[in-house]
Each structure stands twice: as structure tokens, then as C-alpha cells.
Amino acid sequence: MADLVKQILAKPIQLADQVIKAADEAASFKQECAELKSKTDKLAGLLRQAARASNDLYERPTRRILDDTEQVLDKALALVLKCRGHGLVKRVFTIIPAAAFRKMSSQLENSIGDVSWLLRVSASAGDRDDGYLGLPPIATNEPILCLIWEQIAILYTGSLEDRSDAAASLVSLARDNDRYGKLIIEEGGVGPLLKLVKEGKLEGQENAARAIGLLGRDPESVEHLIHAGTCSVFAKILKEGSMKVQAVVVWAVSELVARYPKCQDLFVQHNIIRLLVGHLAFETVQEHSKYAVVSKATSMHQAVVLASNNNANANANIGANKGNDLDEDRSQIPHPFGNKQSLNRMHTVVTNSMAFKGQTNGLNQDNVAKSNGNNGAMLNSISNHQQSLSLSGVSNKAREMEDPATKTYMKAMAARALWHLAKGNSPICKSITESRALLCFAVLLEKGSKDVQYNSAMALMEITAVAEEDAELRRSAFKPNSPACKAVVDQILRIIEKGDLELLVPCIKAIGNLARTFRATETRIISPLVKLLDEQEPEVFREACIGLTKFACTDNYLHLDHSKSIISAGGAKHLVQLVYFGEQNVQGCALILLCYIALNVPDSEELAQAEVLTVLEWASKQATMIQDENVEKLLPEAKGKLELYQSRGSRGFR
């Protein structure tokens, strides 16, 4: 950087010397040339001072100011050269307006002011004349740019307190205007902000992390932040930082991922998922530190199953049961409110299994051989292994000492980050569901604050949306007999039955996404959704119709059973009302659901009493409804089925 600045400074210094020399040789306008010489001499002194301080100069304003200064000196040299004596004829026919000297004098004054400001803004805090630097003449057209330069310069050279204040100023600028955020990035503010996140005091770290989150307003900006090393810095803070700083960092992660989903995998590479789930599980579920137990080894899960069945010889049975279904084994993980003895037994066998397969670093083959006969020694090994799987460099005691508001905010932000990380990403959803995150979400939906509940519901909505398209994820994470799945479904149904408007939409979507996982015997799902079709907000009407459609559509193997359940719950009459009187975006969804039910159960007495055929005939004449491709395909088939199975005369149709 110093060599580059010296190269930039070389040309202006040479030009200044040439102007001084030419002014001494002036044959006309000697007084004016002397004035220009005086100001150029002062400017040359400042430029040489800048060359000596090149190590400390802030590059971005240096380039801009020196480019402008070079142009001014070029013009000054051209003006002074006209005043040299080259014969009487040339002096007579060379016309120099007096205003040219006044203008050039003013421009040199501006250059002197710009270079003086550059030296002050690049100096360390102790070397500055005063706290307020003011604005240089170059800031006339764009004062905000110079304010940004000043704050970034402080980030480079100031004390930790000054750097914290500068970061707070950049937060205000980035929050106020998207363009200011882009300027901060363009002017080199990301590097010193990340450095402050790593090295600053508590307040400085918070301000810098918040600034990073605000700067990522669009994909291009986020990409720049990622390339600057944001992922590794944030991962380090999530392992070692104060919880208050970690909470701001997690918020920043959620902001960056929300605006640029392509960076999801980059954060995952830095183990962000495990760290986030650790914060989510802290004081939420028991034994959350076991999250890091590897779930890919089939033998380990078989060991868990064997432990739950009280098998005495775990290692022998691992070899005998290698054909067991991995998903069924995972379902045996105990509920967080289970008894402690069961949890300890599970982890004992897990550790035995990991040692047997050579997957643990702290246990050798001799320990494995002795483990069955020395439970006390094995428990110590388990404790050591748990420490190696620590979710955070911050001790649990330190985290327990944090104030409740910080803990709550951390959980809300962790759930928010997992929500955006999970969106549309199967591998990340698999990683989340293999942890205790689902159980955490279930607990937080019941006991968390409003923000925690909402973010948890949104995370579940995104995870289930991916599971709807990914059959493998759906089978592994949302098996009906899985304790985690049961806990999640119970809480979602509780919210739907309670009618909490803030959480209804994501919960309805989550249930709809899981439509293909429910058995025919699971009768408690349909009725709460049908009740939402009566006296609710239009958005709730629409989502309830879409969710029920996923139960009744032909893609669902149990569509016949579910359609009968919808009819039994009184869904037909509600759908008829929505088709007739609902808002336009609700009418189409209600009509599609009604068509599926008519196709599946055309001989239903309830459909006849609700005069569904009449509704479908009316809908077929409405231009706004038949424009939908799904309606255009389903409506004729549904009408045909009803006409075939229901006699108009016997049903009382007109």
C-alpha cells in the first residue's frame, strides 16, 4: 500500500515543482504568478508530508484527492507557462483573463484543504489536532462520502473506543440509505469492520456485526461480504464470543442468508448449523450437548435402539442387526422430557459403538474391551467426549449468567437464522432434523416469546416445505412414530386450534407440507383445518384450503380417507360459501379443493345436500375461475363424477 501511494504521489509532486519553477520564470503577470507559486509551494510541502506518511494514508480518499490535485496542478502549469517571455509578438497575442488566476488560486486552495484533511483523517487519534475533522472542499458535491471516509479511517487507525463509535456511525448510515451501504463497501469499510468484530470490545463487536448485517442489502453486497471472510469471523464469534455479540452475529447471518440464499452452503462449511442448534437447545431441551453425535453411522443408531430395549451386550448386537432401518432407529431418540437414566444409557451405548467403529478420538480399543465391565470409567470417557463435542467455546456457566432478555433474543435469532438457512436446501434441512432442533422448536412453540415462536414456526414451515419435495428427508425426519415429529405436530395443532393469527399461516403450511406423512388413523389433523374455513381472515382461508388440498389431492395415497374426513368435519358447506362469496384469491383455492373432494367421494350424501354440483356448474360459467389451469382440468371431471353418481331429480336440483 505504501509503495502504491508513493507512486500516486510522484506525479503531483513533480507537477508542483514544475509550476514553482515556471512561476519564477514568468515575464508577465508576475504578481499573479508569485501568488500561485506561494500556494503551490505550500501544496508541494503537504504532498511531500503525505509521501512520508504513506504507510498510514487511507487509500480510497487518497486516490480521489490526488487525482483531483493532479488535474489542478496540470492546469496551473499550463497557465503559468503562458506567462513566460518568448518574444514580444507572442506576449502581445497571448490573452490571459484576470479571472483565470483567481479561479486557479481558488482551486489550489481547495487542493491544499483536501490534502490537509487527508493527512488529518489518516493520522492516529493521538496525532489529530482536534476531534472534529470537518469536511474537505472535495466534499462539496457529496458530503456523505467524506463522512464515510472519516469513519472508515477511524476504523483503521483509531483506538478501540473510537473504532466502536465509528462502527455505530456506519450502522446509522447503512440503516438510513441503501446507497450509503454500497458506498461503505466500495470505500473499503468491510475489512476493518470484520477486524473489529474479532478484536474489539463488547460494544465495538456488536456495532461492527450489526453494520455487517445491514450492509448485506442485496446479493452483490452479500457476495462481497462473504469473499471478505465474514463466514469464518462469524463462526469464530459463535464459538468464543460473548452471548450478546453472538446474538447480533446470528441476526447478521440471518440477514445475509435471507438476501442471498446461495451463501447457505458457505455458512454450513463453517459449522454454523451445529453452533446455531447449540444455542437453540441451551436451556431448552436436556442433554443438548449430544447434538454432535454423528448420525450417519448405521451401527450407532442401532446401538441406540438396542439401548432402549435394555440389551446388555451392545457391541455384539450391533453386528447382528446391521439390516435395521436407519430411520426407525432414529425414532428411538428419547424425548427431552424423558428420564435421565435412559439418556445416560443411550449415550453409554453410543460411545461404545463409536469406539467400536474407531470414530472416537478419546477412546482406544482397550477402553472398548473394558467398557462393559467398568461403567464408571466409561462414564468418564463419555464426559470427555462430550467436552470434545462442545457447542461453544463459552462455558455453560458463563452462558447461564447472561440476562434472560439476551438468552431470549439469542434463541429468536438462532431460530431466524435456521429458518433462512433451511429454505429450499435439503442437505441443511437434513442436518437440522438429525439434531435436536425439531424438539427445540416444539418446546419453543409452546414456551418461547412471541419472536421465538414466530421464527420457530417459520423454520418448521421451510423445513417441511423441503421435506414435501424430498421423500428421503420426509421419511427420515417426519416418521409418525418419531418423538420429535409427534412433539412438533402436537404444538402446531395446538396453535391451529387456539387460532393464534400471528402463527396460523406458517403452522397451516407446515401441516399441509406433511400431508403425505399422516396415516389414515390420524384423525385429529383434518378437523382443526376445516374449522379455519369458518370466520377467519382471507389469508387463513386460502392457506387452509391449500393445506386441505394436499390431503385430498390424488398425489396423497390416502386422499380418499382424507376427503371423507373433510366432509365429516363439515367442510363441504364451508367450501360452498367460500366459492360463492370468498375473495377472488380464496375462491380458486376453495374450488380446487371442492373438485378433489367431488372426484374422490362423488356419492357422498353431504355433497348432495350442500348442492355441490350446482356450485360447480355455476363456477364453470365464471370466466375469472376457469382461467386457472388446475380448475380448467379438474372442474369438468368433478362435474362428470357428480352427475354420474347423483341423480338431479332425487337430490332436488333445479
Side-chain angles (χ1 to χ4, degrees), residues 198-446:
K198 289 191 294 185
E199 302 174 357
K201 295 182 179 178
L202 184 63
E203 185 179 1
Q205 288 179 308
E206 289 184 58
N207 291 336
R210 189 169 288 107
I212 293 293
L214 289 170
L215 291 179
R217 292 292 185 90
D218 54 69
E220 183 181 358
S221 299
V222 176
E223 193 168 4
H224 183 99
L225 295 170
I226 297 298
H227 288 162
T230 298
C231 293
S232 59
V233 173
F234 280 5
K236 177 179 173 63
I237 293 298
L238 289 177
K239 291 176 185 176
E240 303 172 1
S242 162
M243 184 178 283
K244 288 184 177 180
V245 179
Q246 288 177 335
V248 180
V249 164
V250 173
W251 166 82
V253 169
S254 69
E255 289 288 304
L256 300 185
V257 175
R259 288 172 171 80
Y260 188 52
K262 288 184 179 179
C263 71
Q264 290 172 327
D265 294 330
L266 295 174
F267 277 109
V268 172
Q269 291 171 12
H270 288 81
N271 223 8
I272 293 293
I273 298 296
R274 182 176 70 89
L275 297 169
L276 290 175
V277 173
H279 285 295
L280 197 70
F282 178 65
E283 295 185 348
T284 301
V285 297
Q286 296 175 359
E287 301 291 337
H288 61 273
S289 62
K290 306 305 180 295
Y291 162 70
V293 171
V294 181
S295 60
K296 293 182 180 179
T298 304
S299 60
M300 187 186 309
H301 292 288
Q302 291 165 343
V304 175
V305 176
L306 295 172
S308 66
N309 292 328
N310 294 318
N311 270 309
N313 193 344
N315 291 336
N317 286 330
I318 289 170
N321 290 279
K322 285 189 176 180
N324 287 357
D325 188 339
L326 174 62
D327 292 336
E328 290 301 319
D329 295 334
R330 285 188 68 252
S331 70
Q332 302 297 325
I333 296 175
H335 191 278
F337 301 114
N339 62 69
K340 187 174 182 181
Q341 181 180 359
S342 174
L343 290 171
N344 289 336
R345 184 170 64 251
M346 180 187 76
H347 295 132
T348 300
V349 181
V350 168
T351 309
N352 278 330
S353 175
M354 293 177 69
F356 182 74
K357 285 293 183 180
Q359 293 178 355
T360 53
N361 297 324
L363 299 177
N364 56 31
Q365 294 297 331
D366 293 336
N367 289 338
V368 176
K370 297 175 183 178
S371 62
N372 288 331
N374 191 348
N375 289 334
M378 182 54 63
L379 289 173
N380 290 333
S381 298
I382 295 169
S383 177
N384 293 334
H385 180 65
Q386 292 172 8
Q387 292 175 7
S388 70
L389 298 175
S390 175
L391 293 171
S392 172
V394 183
S395 67
N396 282 343
K397 185 175 181 180
R399 294 201 291 177
E400 288 170 0
M401 295 296 289
E402 290 287 352
D403 62 281
T406 300
K407 294 179 184 178
T408 299
Y409 182 67
M410 169 59 83
K411 290 189 187 300
M413 293 303 102
R416 188 174 191 264
L418 289 171
W419 152 23
H420 291 296
L421 284 164
K423 189 173 184 178
N425 194 307
S426 288
I428 291 179
C429 289
K430 187 173 185 292
S431 177
I432 292 173
T433 56
E434 285 178 347
S435 73
R436 294 211 164 200
L438 291 182
L439 289 175
C440 292
F441 288 138
V443 174
L444 294 173
L445 278 176
E446 180 181 10

